[in-house]
Amino acid sequence: MVKKAVLAYSGGLDTSICIPILKEKYHCDEVITVAVDVGQPAEDVKQAEDKAKKISDKHYTIDAREEFVNDYLFPLIKANGDYEGYVMGTSIARPLIARKVVEVAEKEGANVLAHGCTGKGNDQLRFEAIFRLTDMEVIAPMREMNLTREWEINYAKEHNIPVTVTTKKPWSIDENLWSRSIEGGKLEDPGYIPPEEIYKWTVDPALAPDAQLIEIGFEDGVPVSLDGELMGGVELIERLNHIAGGHGVGRTDMIEDRILGLKARENYEHPAATVLLTAHRDLEKLVLTRSELKFKAHVDSEWSELAYYGLVDEPLFDDLNAFIDNTQQRVTGTVTLKLFKGNAYVVARTSPFALYSEELVSFDSQSINQQDAEGYAKYHGFQARYYRRFISGE
């Protein structure tokens, strides 16, 4: 039987050496590569395509940017997607990429699905949560051969595979519309201070220009405008990455708990994500009730963990989305933020669904008779007072 493999391909070191490895070590007769565009730089997509056409038997490049935004990032915004302070750009993209790879495999009549993930990270699980829904064989050369970065670089040289990674600058970069992750090399030491050279989307906050005000418009929990101009999700996110990144907004340097339990030092850039999540959370506080906000915080946390794990086919994920979507029917309005020296903070917000009355809350208004609150005050903390006075003996 012909062994035909479809490989999730990024153009990087790991996935590039997977092509000859799948043939030499796993005896695959044909290797088809699939690069899924979820917002990588156009030159990176082109380079990956050019490289794949030279070293693979067949290549697909799939533009999934609109689908990524509409079906993955917008739900993430509604859920205030955040895992331990990470906005989840890489994790939320993996199920989409995996699904596109499976679609190509089914079209090509393949019997093997492959990826270039290591056995220490999260991506292996995210890809395989989708891959293993099929009956195809799953191959993960990096994990199964227990490879090191130095071995990979040497192997690539032996097979005349061009790579940009070196032993001196072994940064591993993953980039899409939502975030840019940088890891590897000296960054694996949590005590190492990252050099400015690792950042591409954000300027040094200390060198950022004067403050700038921007206004984000939302409809049903989804961002639809920037400074009053209606625009599609892809354009809005791209423009925000440029504007907010120019103010140094959206850097994260964190110790992250991977799914396997390993702690890892991760560096991220995510200007647009920082702005949109900050604005969305603030708008929710204006329009949702206290009970809704309290319960939704738990729902958002559960949603984010499932998304981080790549378990988007878990029935609970659908259940959580149903609740979240229902709350978002009132998350419509505008939020004004100030961008300044690496910070994005809300300075104003409006909504036709605001649960806020300036007249009722004002100290200069008598719309509410303050004396009515006395009865409430008498019973507020009643049990604690009773305990302190009559039970504990204090």
Side-chain angles (χ1 to χ4, degrees):
M1 183 177 65
V2 174
K3 199 170 184 181
K4 183 184 289 190
V6 176
L7 169 69
Y9 188 70
S10 68
L13 173 62
D14 293 341
T15 57
S16 291
I17 68 168
C18 276
I19 297 170
I21 286 177
L22 285 169
K23 292 189 172 185
E24 294 176 3
K25 309 294 184 182
Y26 293 90
H27 310 294
C28 291
D29 300 286
E30 185 177 353
V31 177
I32 301 169
T33 50
V34 180
V36 183
D37 183 359
V38 285
Q40 305 92 306
E43 61 271 20
D44 288 0
V45 175
K46 181 65 166 55
Q47 288 174 8
E49 186 174 45
D50 291 343
K51 186 187 298 186
K53 287 180 177 179
K54 292 178 182 178
I55 61 179
S56 68
D57 297 294
K58 191 174 183 179
H59 178 74
Y60 286 80
T61 295
I62 299 173
D63 186 348
R65 289 174 297 172
E66 294 287 347
E67 185 175 351
F68 182 44
V69 171
N70 294 327
D71 297 345
Y72 293 81
L73 293 185
F74 282 170
L76 181 149
I77 293 170
K78 293 179 182 180
N80 300 308
D82 178 287
Y83 177 81
E84 297 183 349
Y86 161 46
V87 300
M88 304 197 301
T90 299
S91 56
I92 199 66
R94 292 305 187 245
L96 172 59
I97 296 171
R99 284 169 172 163
K100 295 303 179 185
V101 171
V102 170
E103 288 175 10
V104 170
E106 292 173 342
K107 175 183 177 181
E108 290 285 341
N111 46 24
V112 173
L113 294 167
H115 61 75
C117 307
T118 72
K120 294 183 178 181
N122 299 317
D123 282 343
Q124 57 176 330
L125 305 175
R126 296 164 181 155
F127 274 107
E128 293 184 31
I130 303 299
F131 285 0
R132 294 185 184 279
L133 287 170
T134 75
D135 294 325
M136 291 179 240
E137 179 184 358
V138 177
I139 297 179
M142 302 299 109
R143 179 180 68 202
E144 295 165 14
M145 296 176 64
N146 200 27
L147 302 180
T148 65
R149 183 51 57 93
E150 184 176 0
W151 186 95
E152 293 178 46
I153 293 173
N154 292 331
Y155 182 84
K157 291 178 180 178
E158 292 171 5
H159 288 74
N160 297 315
I161 298 175
V163 293
T164 57
V165 173
T166 67
T167 53
K168 292 183 178 180
K169 291 185 179 181
W171 316 128
S172 178
I173 309 294
D174 185 86
E175 188 171 337
N176 61 43
L177 279 170
W178 201 236
S179 76
R180 179 174 181 267
S181 70
I182 316 103
E183 58 184 4
K186 291 184 178 180
L187 293 175
E188 293 176 350
D189 175 5
Y192 174 71
I193 299 176
E196 273 298 311
E197 71 180 47
I198 73 168
Y199 299 109
K200 180 180 178 182
W201 286 11
T202 56
V203 303
D204 183 342
L207 304 177
D210 292 337
Q212 178 179 351
L213 293 179
I214 60 172
E215 181 187 85
I216 309 297
F218 287 87
E219 289 185 7
D220 298 332
V222 170
V224 295
S225 68
L226 174 59
D227 293 331
E229 180 184 353
L230 292 174
M231 61 185 68
V234 173
E235 181 185 2
L236 191 151
I237 292 170
E238 288 179 337
R239 196 176 298 186
L240 270 179
N241 274 329
H242 175 72
I243 295 172
H247 288 273
V249 172
R251 288 187 180 185
T252 299
D253 184 336
M254 61 182 288
I255 301 300
E256 182 177 310
D257 290 300
R258 290 179 177 170
I259 301 170
L260 295 177
L262 298 172
K263 286 188 179 292
R265 196 269 189 88
E266 304 286 353
N267 290 82
Y268 300 104
E269 292 181 284
H270 39 79
T274 297
V275 169
L276 292 174
L277 290 172
T278 299
H280 180 265
R281 288 190 186 98
D282 188 87
L283 187 57
E284 281 192 331
K285 291 180 180 180
L286 183 65
V287 301
L288 299 183
T289 67
R290 175 165 52 187
S291 295
E292 284 179 309
L293 289 169
K294 181 180 179 181
F295 188 77
K296 188 172 183 294
H298 176 66
V299 171
D300 290 348
S301 177
E302 291 295 317
W303 189 98
S304 296
E305 185 168 286
L306 288 173
Y308 182 80
Y309 281 42
L311 297 176
V312 296
D313 286 308
E314 161 64 46
L316 175 60
F317 195 68
D318 293 333
D319 300 335
L320 297 177
N321 276 314
F323 169 80
I324 291 169
D325 284 342
N326 193 64
T327 66
Q328 299 304 291
Q329 295 178 36
R330 305 197 311 276
V331 186
T332 293
T334 62
V335 180
T336 303
L337 303 96
K338 178 179 286 189
L339 310 179
F340 184 62
K341 302 294 184 183
N343 296 299
Y345 48 94
V346 175
V347 293
R349 74 288 288 164
T350 64
S351 172
F353 301 105
L355 297 179
Y356 179 89
S357 169
E358 183 178 355
E359 179 183 358
L360 292 178
V361 79
S362 174
F363 291 116
D364 295 323
S365 170
Q366 290 186 327
S367 298
I368 291 179
N369 187 339
Q370 297 182 48
Q371 295 175 345
D372 292 342
E374 182 179 355
Y376 188 100
K378 288 180 178 179
Y379 288 93
H380 187 62
F382 174 81
Q383 291 185 351
R385 289 198 302 274
Y386 188 90
Y387 169 78
R388 296 296 181 188
R389 294 179 63 184
F390 303 112
I391 305 298
S392 69
E394 294 182 10

